[in-house]
Amino acid sequence: MTVIKNIAKDRILQITVVITIISLFFARPRIEDINFHTLYSILAMLTIIQIFSYLHVLDVLAYKLTASARSTRRLTAIFTILSIVSAMFLTNDIVVNRYNVSPLKFFSWSLPLLLVSLIIVLLFIFFVKDKPIPTVPLEDIRISVRPMVLTIAVSIFFFFGVFNIVPAYVPAIVAVILALIINPSIMLHVDYALLLTFTCFFIFISDIQQIPFIVTLISKTMFSEHSVFLTSIISSQFISNVPSTILIGKFTNYAEALFLGSNIGGFGSLVGSMANMLVFKSFVENGTVSKRKFFWVFSVLEFTGLIILTILGWIVLDFVI
């Protein structure tokens, strides 16, 4: 019952379900439009995270990092850089998958975004008040070595699915089986609401791309690289950047513009990317300050990044690509 309650009270899912139901009055979803590769990858990733959490691996990591930091600014820098680095390996890119972009071309598109994003992050970190952190009390956290090694192996295998070396559902099945072997209760803590939210996004995309008016409207915005770029950014604010990429990708061959737009579109609104939703949910569960205050600060930072990177992306399209 706790799982059902957690799913039912998820506000983002509630809104998504309502929008999806409305779309069903205009068309019926087609199974081929549902991006199961992404859904399987999300399920595998969320399950692996919960296994690590159950094994207290995340607790030990957080303890070690916190103990090594002497101030709030340094602690912020450590966790921020860690999230940036880990995000490079724990996410996949639909545009690379769809257009068979070469690694060299991929990095030529992504490096300018990475460098500017790092500069922005470092500037924001300087605004964090540099207060000393109290000494972290020593805790004896024990980790079972064998389950941890198996989970690390499954985590590595997860990337085989992300990069299409094996079908994406295989790592998902392996991760679920491992969780059930270690402790079946692990599966009760998986964020099914997020998984259902993306399922609804894909159903919604399937429906609206069958509406002639929508098809005509999107087609008219695909006349140049810059229009594709802006359309991708704007649509990501409402349906998240992965579904947006899948929708727009059916109407354009401007892979560069779509790549930049979908990645930059992850900034901005709460639903701009899966990462945004995960951050907000994590805060709701563990935060100690006002949700409203966090939401507004989060939004200001997100939209500031969105504006800066949109300008950068426009320049890249003009002078680099």
Side-chain angles (χ1 to χ4, degrees):
M1 289 299 293
T2 302
V3 175
I4 296 175
K5 287 181 180 179
N6 290 336
I7 293 174
K9 71 179 183 181
D10 189 281
R11 193 60 58 87
I12 296 177
L13 176 60
Q14 292 171 359
I15 297 172
T16 307
V17 167
V18 172
I19 296 174
T20 302
I21 291 175
I22 293 174
S23 72
L24 292 174
F25 286 98
F26 298 92
R28 291 292 179 267
R30 298 174 300 202
I31 192 69
E32 61 268 22
D33 292 332
I34 309 299
N35 193 300
F36 287 102
H37 180 278
T38 298
L39 295 178
Y40 289 134
S41 296
I42 292 174
L43 175 60
M45 180 182 66
L46 295 176
T47 302
I48 291 170
I49 289 173
Q50 288 305 320
I51 296 175
F52 277 127
S53 178
Y54 174 79
L55 295 175
H56 299 295
V57 174
L58 300 182
D59 294 333
V60 171
L61 179 61
Y63 171 76
K64 295 292 185 181
L65 291 174
T66 303
S68 66
R70 299 175 181 175
S71 66
T72 52
R73 183 179 295 169
R74 184 172 179 179
L75 182 65
T76 301
I78 289 173
F79 278 99
T80 301
I81 293 173
L82 177 63
S83 66
I84 292 173
V85 174
S86 60
M88 295 180 192
F89 301 96
L90 292 176
T91 186
N92 61 320
D93 199 287
I94 299 298
V95 181
V96 175
N97 287 336
R98 178 175 175 80
Y99 294 98
N100 296 316
V101 178
S102 68
L104 183 62
K105 179 66 71 174
F106 173 82
F107 285 114
S108 72
W109 297 345
S110 60
L111 281 178
L113 290 181
L114 174 61
L115 294 175
V116 174
S117 297
L118 285 172
I119 292 172
I120 294 172
V121 166
L122 292 175
L123 289 175
F124 281 146
I125 288 175
F126 278 108
F127 286 96
V128 176
K129 293 182 180 179
D130 199 23
K131 299 179 180 178
I133 296 177
T135 303
V136 179
L138 184 64
E139 294 186 24
D140 184 21
I141 303 176
R142 298 184 181 276
I143 298 177
S144 300
V145 176
R146 185 176 297 176
M148 182 186 70
V149 171
L150 287 173
T151 307
I152 292 174
V154 172
S155 301
I156 295 173
F157 185 55
F158 163 73
F159 293 104
F160 284 66
V162 170
F163 294 108
N164 293 313
I165 298 174
V166 298
Y169 65 82
V170 177
I173 292 174
V174 172
V176 171
I177 291 175
L178 179 61
L180 293 174
I181 291 174
I182 295 175
N183 190 327
S185 66
I186 293 175
M187 295 306 300
L188 298 177
H189 300 282
V190 173
D191 191 351
Y192 297 107
L194 181 66
L195 192 61
L196 289 172
T197 297
F198 271 83
T199 302
C200 287
F201 278 149
F202 291 134
I203 293 174
F204 172 74
I205 292 300
S206 180
D207 289 341
I208 65 171
Q209 69 183 10
Q210 298 179 62
I211 303 174
F213 170 75
I214 299 295
V215 172
T216 302
L217 182 63
I218 295 176
S219 298
K220 288 183 178 180
T221 64
M222 300 291 105
F223 56 86
S224 69
E225 285 187 317
H226 292 83
S227 64
V228 171
F229 172 69
L230 291 178
T231 301
S232 178
I233 291 176
I234 294 171
S235 60
S236 294
Q237 304 308 303
F238 301 97
I239 60 174
S240 195
N241 56 355
V242 172
S244 168
T245 303
I246 293 172
L247 174 63
I248 296 175
K250 296 178 181 295
F251 297 91
T252 182
N253 289 319
Y254 290 125
E256 312 97 316
L258 184 56
F259 170 85
L260 291 172
S262 61
N263 281 278
I264 294 173
F267 286 82
S269 75
L270 197 60
V271 299
S273 73
M274 180 177 68
N276 291 351
M277 290 183 272
L278 284 173
V279 167
F280 189 73
K281 286 185 177 185
S282 179
F283 173 80
V284 169
E285 294 174 359
N286 307 296
T288 57
V289 300
S290 165
K291 295 178 185 177
R292 180 175 296 180
K293 180 180 179 180
F294 176 84
F295 174 78
W296 284 112
V297 173
F298 178 85
S299 297
V300 168
L301 294 177
E302 281 285 315
F303 279 101
T304 300
L306 176 65
I307 292 171
I308 294 173
L309 290 175
T310 298
I311 295 173
L312 170 70
W314 191 278
I315 295 172
V316 169
L317 286 175
D318 274 338
F319 301 104
V320 179
I321 295 177

